[in-house]
């Protein structure tokens, strides 16, 4: 299917709010037009992350203040000095990410590019995010159930990430949960721990809720074989560990399945889910 036709087909059926659909149409069209005007033209179905970065950089010329758009330092500069532009850039990368997920789901490409490294991350809430209301939490659980093989190749991994966040693990902890500290207690419950960044301490113990246990058991046979010396529970293509920014990305995509969450202000982020939890905690005192 021709890339622009696929874009229209996807947006005609995607469960997106109208403003998001307009934004995605605009940003992906910009990307496809840029591909067509290169010499030689770039095939959007056979491009690399470096091509997407080159295009994104052309839209940040003023905010880069003369710097090349060549990596995390450039993104950090934009995030620090031009927060609004960084927010727009992150939404732009989300639009391209979702477009390529649609391309993959429709068989136009085999794998969607991982664009996590092109995000500045400033769209995460400052301070403690506002928790989901009980109704919003119920809707989010429904959206997790809707996230199946028609949405993503590694949907079991994505579901488990969402459930681990509901256990109260922060996004970076989800990325660090260690297979060596994953314990089946043989009574229907499991314990997990997320080591610290230097892997010198095993971290707080979490006794998983039954729905998370079910997601874990479903995921384990499909866990991507880890590379040497990789012990994280969640692995990505090539056997590497999960980038700590991915939980935020996948939560935003799952939340976009329902208008109640897609239109929420502040937006639903991985930190929002981690602060929400499965259950309401009664007020003390």
């Amino acid at each position: 299917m021709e890339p622009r036709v696929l874009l229209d087909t996807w947006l005609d059926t995607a469960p997106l709010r109208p403003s998001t659909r307009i934004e995605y149409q605009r940003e992906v069209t910009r990307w496809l037009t840029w591909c067509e005007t290169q010499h030689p033209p770039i095939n959007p179905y056979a491009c690399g992350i470096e091509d997407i970065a080159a295009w994104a950089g052309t839209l940040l010329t003023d905010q880069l203040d003369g710097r090349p758009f060549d990596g995390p330092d450039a993104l950090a500069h934009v995030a620090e000095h031009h927060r609004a532009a960084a927010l727009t850039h992150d939404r732009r990368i989300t639009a391209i990410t979702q477009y390529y997920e649609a391309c993959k789901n429709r068989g136009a490409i085999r794998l969607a590019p991982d664009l996590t490294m092109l995000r500045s991350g400033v769209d995460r809430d400052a301070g403690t995010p506002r928790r989901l209301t009980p109704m919003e939490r119920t809707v989010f659980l429904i959206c997790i159930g809707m996230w199946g093989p028609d949405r993503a190749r590694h949907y079991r991994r994505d579901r488990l990430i969402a459930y681990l966040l509901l256990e109260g693990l922060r996004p970076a902890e989800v990325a660090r949960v260690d297979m060596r500290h994953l314990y089946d207690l043989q009574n229907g419950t499991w314990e997990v721990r997320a080591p610290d960044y230097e892997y010198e301490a095993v971290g707080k113990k979490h006794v998983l809720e039954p729905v998370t246990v079910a997601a874990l058991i479903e995921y384990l046979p499909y866990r991507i074989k880890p590379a040497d010396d990789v012990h994280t529970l969640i692995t990505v293509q090539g056997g590497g560990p999960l980038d700590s920014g991915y939980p935020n990305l996948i939560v935003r995509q799952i939340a976009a399945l329902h208008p109640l969450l897609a239109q929420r202000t502040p937006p639903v982020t991985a930190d929002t889910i981690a602060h929400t939890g499965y259950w309401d905690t009664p007020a003390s005192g």
Side-chain angles (χ1 to χ4, degrees), residues 39 101 121 123 127 272:
H39 302 286
E101 284 292 337
D123 57 341
T272 306

Side-chain angles (χ1 to χ4, degrees), residues 168-271:
L169 278 77
R170 300 295 294 274
E173 291 178 312
V174 171
R176 297 197 306 270
V177 170
D178 196 306
M179 288 291 292
R180 296 168 297 182
H181 300 289
L182 177 67
Y183 308 106
D184 180 358
L185 302 184
Q186 302 298 319
N187 62 359
T189 60
W190 290 60
E191 290 181 359
V192 300
R193 293 176 183 266
D196 64 16
Y197 284 102
E198 288 75 32
Y199 290 85
E200 294 177 352
V202 295
K204 177 184 175 182
K205 177 180 69 176
H206 294 266
V207 179
L208 302 182
E209 295 287 344
V211 67
T212 309
V213 171
L216 172 64
I217 292 172
E218 183 181 13
Y219 161 76
L220 286 174
Y222 297 92
R223 175 176 177 251
I224 295 173
K225 182 180 178 180
D228 293 342
D229 297 323
V230 173
H231 303 287
T232 53
L233 170 64
I234 309 295
T235 51
V236 298
Q237 202 66 32
L242 185 75
D243 184 278
S244 61
Y246 183 80
N248 194 54
L249 175 64
I250 197 59
V251 163
R252 295 291 293 272
Q253 292 183 357
I254 291 173
L257 296 178
H258 194 284
L260 180 67
L261 302 181
Q263 299 174 18
R264 184 181 187 267
T265 302
V268 181
T269 66
D271 279 333

Side-chain angles (χ1 to χ4, degrees), residues 23-80:
E23 184 176 7
Y24 283 11
Q25 179 86 50
R26 180 182 66 249
E27 298 300 347
V28 178
T29 299
R30 280 180 175 177
W31 159 242
L32 297 177
T33 300
W34 184 87
C35 289
E36 293 165 355
T37 56
Q38 299 311 293
H39 302 286
I42 293 172
N43 178 357
Y45 291 156
C47 67
I49 186 174
E50 67 279 3
D51 297 312
I52 298 172
W55 163 72
T58 66
L59 301 172
L60 291 173
T61 301
D62 293 341
Q63 292 76 26
L64 287 168
D65 301 319
R67 302 170 62 99
F69 186 62
D70 57 0
D73 288 345
L75 280 171
H77 175 83
V78 175
E80 180 180 359

Side-chain angles (χ1 to χ4, degrees), residues 147-180:
W147 194 261
D150 59 325
R151 303 285 180 185
R153 179 182 181 186
H154 299 292
Y155 67 94
R156 298 177 184 86
R157 179 183 68 193
D158 296 342
R159 285 177 179 173
L160 179 58
I161 289 169
Y163 288 132
L164 287 171
L165 291 168
L166 282 166
E167 295 283 354
L169 278 77
R170 300 295 294 274
E173 291 178 312
V174 171
R176 297 197 306 270
V177 170
D178 196 306
M179 288 291 292
R180 296 168 297 182

